[in-house]
Amino acid sequence: MHPSTEPRTSSRRARIYLPVAIVLIATVKGLLWTQLLPPWYGPDEQAHFAYVQELALTGRVPASATHLTDMPPDMDCSTQALGFRSSGPFYARPPFVPGVDPCPKPPLNQGRLPQRLLTPAGTYNPIYYGLAVPFWLAAEATPVEVRLESVRLLSVLLGSAATLFCYLAALWAFGHDRRLAATTALMFTLQPMLSQQTAVVTNDALVLAISGAFAWLWMRTVIRPTGIAWMAVLGGLVGLALLAKHHGALLALLIPLGLLLQVLASPRARTVVRAAAGLLVAASVAAAIAVAGVGIDLLLHGSPLAATPPLAAAHHGWHDYLHVMEADSYRRLYLLLLQGFWGSFAWSSIAFPAVVYMAIAGVYTLAIVGLVVGLGSNKLRREPIVAAVTATALIVVGIFAMDAVEFKLTGGLVIQGRTFLIALTPLAIVLTGGLASLVPSRLGGAAAAAVCVAVLALQLFSWMLIADAIYA
Amino acid sequence: MMRFVTVTAIIALVVALASVAFRHPEPQLLGFNEFSYTDSGQSSLLPGTSVTQRVNVQAPNLSRIAFLYSYQGLGGDLAHVTVRSSGALLADTDVVLPATLRPKEPIAWWEANFWDSHARFREVPVKGDPGPQIEVTISLPTSSQPLTLWWTDLTKVDPAFAPGAGSQEDPNKYLAIRTEYGPVQPALLKAPTFLDRLAQTGLPWLPAPAIAVLAMLTLSLTVWVTWLVASSASRENGQRG
């Protein structure tokens, strides 16, 4: 089944049931992950939750620091009971035994506020944390673990929204082929690392939902040139993504790319003028939202931007960045693009066996071969696939550029594999399209089903690994 | 045809994962809080020397102990391990030490997980009824290569989480020794333990079987979507043919 040659799926089942079923999968699977990962086992979950709690109780945002300091007593006790140690992330197996409490829990409704909370999450605008406050308030009179689980539900909802947006983006990319769109969305939602990040308290979940909405509308503009209003919406989404988390700003790179593809497809003066106007509008709206965000920071924080943690002595050049990568035999690329991106759970202490990552690397290779075959033989529509490939590459390169800048400023390597998840929608389109192009048209359905089964296998395997590591 | 292939693939997947879970051996219970991975260190045990560590027994039916080591020889060398409790000998055996990788070795790319490549646990079966404490001694024959043993740094670890007193040779170091209880069985048979512990830490408004219900729902919905994907293609191909 190939998007350019096959008739569109018109069955009612595919039109109605597929998106509904996929969103249901995202939601149910999200609930499952909130159950599977014990409280605080999302990366930096304490820092994010402490922010929400402070905002809910005082209306203030916490100050920023490189480490979480002065954690509220109820959180402190809970994290210790669940296996966390003074140095932060755990690595022991099993990390805790339910019912073994090393410290007396403060009475309910007490011990919720620190003297002065300092958290790495303090560098973020309160957009995500403000959305989380109603979830915190809904469980206000309950133990801290219950409040955390309540706030986690926001991430589950955002993950479900992101999955729907991915489906819609893939519909445009594959010429409304619902089977390939469903395969893409299934790959998206069952991707193990995304499953974790949309089930724990983290602003990653908001960035993923926003980047999903952006990918949908952006793919639409690539296929069907749109008016100024659409560009304003895209610009708005870039602004919101930036406020949610800094690397969300990288979505801005895709707006000129989409407009360039429009111009290349129809190189006329009118198209060029419209693209230039669209770019101007998108940039203006994005900038306006960013400025509004700074205004909110001013009101809540007392400074124009959330304070950046103190920087180390800046004696690290671009050359040193490459040297550090080289000295480690470029192992960091493996850790970021395969291990950290596809599955390194619970504070990066649970991972798949290496052979799984190698298999994924093999799938990348197969998909690239499939893209070449598909584009060469016109099995794939050129514009959306080229757009998806370029978008993925731009975001990946952009994140590494941010990493290099951070290294130059602080000497630290801070990005994680999960940072690249904002590229997951275009990547899933690329992988699905590439793999579907590898087989003859009559076997396209089987190929799509095989991809669904493979991502299901990855999802099930991640459940097994987490259960074994945490609950043994 | 397409439906047959889909059903076969899904059954094969479930069987393969169940087989992985069945083949993976797992003791009924693991000791808790015996090693701080984040306040850890390593030091060499030289040929002809030994190290002794007292370890608390946390549950009945101690079946194995395991020590964490790194060994960059050719592999296959032996260490001698004795386990005593109140004068009784619970284990007195030579164990083979498979080699581990050096962090910089190219193969580390392929084995980049935290433990797989650089350190591993070596299990030693224990027989008999131990008291509240056991004494584990690891010694190396003079013909062996030096062996790297891992330990918790008691000067760094939060005293509330110290696993116990240090080794006889160095009171600041607690050797990374894991205790294992009950029969070693396929991990699949340990599912009730997983579910019981999950139920105690998960969403409080969901009853205990919720995790199983959510898992089955996710699985069923995904299988259904896969079915739709496969069967739609089959019908369209049929129409075109």
Side-chain angles (χ1 to χ4, degrees):
Chain A
M1 173 67 199
H2 296 288
S4 60
T5 57
E6 293 294 323
R8 291 178 180 181
T9 306
S10 58
S11 78
R12 182 178 169 77
R13 277 197 311 180
R15 269 191 292 123
I16 306 295
Y17 293 166
L18 271 180
V20 171
I22 285 167
V23 171
L24 264 177
I25 290 170
T27 309
V28 172
K29 179 260 319 174
L31 285 174
L32 174 71
W33 275 77
T34 62
Q35 183 93 344
L36 194 60
L37 287 169
W40 320 117
Y41 276 57
D44 300 320
E45 199 167 22
Q46 294 93 328
H48 295 295
F49 181 80
Y51 192 139
V52 175
Q53 184 154 282
E54 178 111 338
L55 195 59
L57 287 170
T58 68
R60 292 194 307 266
V61 296
S64 63
T66 48
H67 298 290
L68 183 62
T69 311
D70 194 19
M71 192 156 53
D74 62 347
M75 284 179 60
D76 193 33
C77 186
S78 175
T79 51
Q80 287 188 30
L82 285 157
F84 284 77
R85 302 297 181 252
S86 55
S87 49
F90 78 99
Y91 288 102
R93 177 177 175 268
F96 67 93
V97 174
V100 178
D101 293 327
C103 65
K105 285 189 176 179
L108 204 60
N109 298 333
Q110 289 182 29
R112 296 173 167 194
L113 278 176
Q115 295 293 320
R116 183 171 183 265
L117 178 67
L118 299 171
T119 164
T123 53
Y124 298 125
N125 182 280
I127 178 172
Y128 167 79
Y129 307 95
L131 288 173
V133 164
F135 291 83
W136 188 94
L137 291 173
E140 186 177 5
T142 59
V144 66
E145 296 86 1
V146 183
R147 275 176 272 139
L148 176 84
E149 294 289 3
S150 179
V151 176
R152 279 180 169 186
L153 295 181
L154 169 65
S155 296
V156 174
L157 292 177
L158 291 169
S160 302
T163 303
L164 178 63
F165 293 138
C166 177
Y167 177 78
L168 295 171
L171 269 184
W172 282 101
F174 293 120
H176 292 272
D177 183 316
R178 288 182 167 76
R179 283 155 296 183
L180 288 185
T183 305
T184 307
L186 210 57
M187 183 190 291
F188 179 89
T189 196
L190 295 183
Q191 204 268 17
M193 207 59 193
L194 180 120
S195 299
Q196 174 183 277
Q197 293 308 99
T198 53
V200 299
V201 180
T202 169
N203 53 350
D204 276 3
L206 181 60
V207 175
L208 290 169
I210 294 171
S211 61
F214 180 91
W216 164 39
L217 298 176
W218 179 76
M219 192 55 83
R220 188 183 189 281
T221 65
V222 168
I223 306 299
R224 180 185 294 173
T226 48
I228 295 295
W230 286 93
M231 301 311 296
V233 173
L234 282 178
L237 289 171
V238 170
L240 289 175
L242 165 66
L243 294 187
K245 205 159 187 178
H246 306 140
H247 71 280
L250 292 173
L251 296 178
L253 297 173
L254 307 192
I255 292 180
L257 169 66
L259 293 171
L260 178 66
L261 289 170
Q262 283 182 17
V263 170
L264 290 175
S266 173
R268 290 178 300 186
R270 189 178 163 204
T271 317
V272 173
V273 170
R274 191 172 60 190
L279 187 60
L280 192 64
V281 168
S284 304
V285 175
I289 290 181
V291 169
V294 173
I296 292 170
D297 283 334
L298 262 173
L299 284 173
L300 292 173
H301 218 274
S303 62
L305 283 171
T308 307
L311 302 178
H315 296 302
H316 312 281
W318 307 117
H319 183 75
D320 297 318
Y321 179 72
L322 293 176
H323 182 69
V324 166
M325 304 277 264
E326 188 185 335
D328 197 24
S329 308
Y330 296 97
R331 183 166 167 257
R332 189 157 180 264
L333 294 179
Y334 168 91
L335 294 175
L336 289 175
L337 298 178
L338 285 169
Q339 193 185 53
F341 180 72
W342 280 92
S344 182
F345 312 109
W347 292 80
S348 306
S349 54
I350 304 168
F352 291 114
V355 66
V356 171
Y357 303 111
M358 291 304 107
I360 291 169
V363 170
Y364 282 172
T365 310
L366 278 177
I368 290 168
V369 172
L371 286 182
V372 174
V373 171
L375 291 174
S377 62
N378 288 327
K379 282 180 174 176
L380 291 170
R381 295 177 66 189
R382 191 172 299 271
E383 296 87 352
I385 295 301
V386 168
V389 169
T390 318
T392 308
L394 272 179
I395 291 174
V396 170
V397 170
I399 291 173
F400 275 112
M402 289 178 76
D403 189 43
V405 170
E406 183 76 21
F407 178 81
K408 186 168 168 55
L409 292 174
T410 68
L413 297 167
V414 294
I415 64 162
Q416 305 285 328
R418 56 183 180 272
T419 310
F420 295 90
L421 285 174
I422 61 166
L424 186 56
T425 299
L427 178 66
I429 289 171
V430 168
L431 292 178
T432 305
L435 294 173
S437 299
L438 280 174
V439 296
S441 298
R442 63 190 172 81
L443 294 178
V451 173
C452 294
V453 173
V455 290
L456 176 63
L458 212 51
Q459 177 76 196
L460 295 181
F461 197 21
S462 58
W463 299 353
M464 289 164 56
L465 281 175
I466 292 170
D468 187 49
I470 297 180
Y471 302 101
Chain B
M1 177 64 182
M2 207 64 74
R3 290 180 179 182
F4 173 76
V5 170
T6 306
V7 170
T8 308
I10 289 167
I11 291 173
L13 164 68
V14 171
V15 169
L17 288 173
S19 146
V20 168
F22 200 78
R23 287 180 58 192
H24 178 65
E26 188 76 63
Q28 201 169 37
L29 205 63
L30 294 175
F32 166 61
N33 200 34
E34 293 178 317
F35 180 47
S36 169
Y37 286 41
T38 47
D39 295 315
S40 62
Q42 41 188 307
S43 54
S44 283
L45 181 64
L46 297 173
T49 63
S50 65
V51 60
T52 299
Q53 177 67 58
R54 279 184 176 277
V55 178
N56 292 325
V57 176
Q58 300 184 8
N61 303 322
L62 178 71
S63 55
R64 295 195 304 194
I65 62 107
F67 62 92
L68 188 62
Y69 76 95
S70 299
Y71 181 68
Q72 279 131 27
L74 292 173
D77 279 357
L78 299 176
H80 188 78
V81 180
T82 58
V83 182
R84 291 186 171 84
S85 177
S86 309
L89 200 57
L90 306 180
D92 183 16
T93 182
D94 286 331
V95 292
V96 179
L97 301 171
T100 58
L101 296 171
R102 293 182 189 89
K104 296 273 181 179
E105 283 182 52
I107 192 101
W109 266 66
W110 305 80
E111 294 286 346
N113 296 340
F114 191 77
W115 288 121
D116 281 1
S117 37
H118 309 143
R120 71 172 44 135
F121 277 106
R122 182 65 174 91
E123 294 89 357
V124 181
V126 171
K127 287 181 181 166
D129 190 19
Q133 265 195 339
I134 55 173
E135 193 177 82
V136 180
T137 302
I138 303 167
S139 51
L140 275 187
T142 49
S143 58
S144 183
Q145 296 286 320
L147 171 68
T148 301
L149 290 174
W150 290 67
W151 36 264
T152 296
D153 188 343
L154 297 177
T155 63
K156 288 184 181 172
V157 73
D158 185 336
F161 299 109
S167 67
Q168 275 185 12
E169 289 71 19
D170 188 341
N172 290 326
K173 296 175 181 174
Y174 183 95
L175 275 185
I177 292 177
R178 185 174 76 190
T179 52
E180 301 180 358
Y181 305 88
V184 178
Q185 56 190 352
L188 197 60
L189 300 181
K190 207 178 165 182
T193 306
F194 297 146
L195 290 175
D196 179 51
R197 289 184 167 181
L198 266 163
Q200 293 182 54
T201 57
L203 294 170
W205 48 80
L206 292 174
I211 186 89
V213 173
L214 291 170
M216 287 312 297
L217 259 177
T218 306
L219 187 60
S220 311
L221 283 165
T222 308
V223 168
W224 185 50
V225 167
T226 305
W227 179 273
L228 283 180
V229 163
S231 59
S232 296
S234 177
R235 186 170 55 255
E236 285 190 6
N237 290 335
Q239 282 170 353
R240 287 192 303 139

